[in-house]
Amino acid sequence: SGWMCYTLKGHTCPVRALLVTRDNAHVVSGADDGSIYLWNLKSGKELRSFQGHTASVHDLAEDPDGRYFVSASGDWTTRMWEVSSGRCLAVLQGHNGPVNGVALTLDGSRAITASDDHSL
């Protein structure tokens, strides 16, 4: 049928956010403990972890070139991650509550976030 099925194991608590990369080669997953993993979709193997959030990861968005992605978290922050190294490039603060959603503009120059504090 052309469908591939894997069970990707590595998270130790519920997974809340998923992002399939634009090249369809990888998936990024975020969980309740703040952990984020990069997976290879062809092999099903974990390639990298991204550590820094202290609460659940609620949403993920990728830049147009696939060089970085951003994560929205219950720790009231949005983080920008470099895919190739796993390094956190920036911590975006400003909300007075959990950050529930994140989107990037089409050119990747801006992140728009949505929060429990009733603001974008």
Side-chain angles (χ1 to χ4, degrees):
S1 71
W3 285 84
M4 294 171 46
C5 183
Y6 293 109
T7 299
L8 307 177
K9 294 190 177 190
H11 287 287
T12 58
C13 60
V15 176
R16 302 288 179 197
L18 290 174
L19 164 71
V20 176
T21 58
R22 294 180 197 282
D23 63 5
N24 290 317
H26 303 95
V27 66
V28 181
S29 58
D32 274 354
D33 62 358
S35 64
I36 300 172
Y37 292 111
L38 175 70
W39 307 86
N40 180 298
L41 280 177
K42 187 173 184 180
S43 69
K45 296 188 189 239
E46 176 194 325
L47 301 176
R48 180 168 293 109
S49 67
F50 302 81
Q51 303 298 322
H53 282 300
T54 59
S56 180
V57 175
H58 297 162
D59 199 11
L60 301 160
E62 183 185 33
D63 87 303
D65 298 325
R67 295 171 296 143
Y68 64 88
F69 68 91
V70 291
S71 55
S73 175
D75 66 8
W76 300 20
T77 69
T78 300
R79 292 179 183 256
M80 178 185 294
W81 306 93
E82 183 176 56
V83 174
S84 63
S85 69
R87 188 169 54 115
C88 180
L89 301 176
V91 179
L92 309 174
Q93 299 175 317
H95 284 294
N96 293 314
V99 184
N100 299 315
V102 62
L104 290 173
T105 56
L106 292 178
D107 65 1
S109 66
R110 293 188 176 138
I112 298 93
T113 57
S115 171
D116 273 6
D117 68 7
H118 305 187
S119 71
L120 300 179

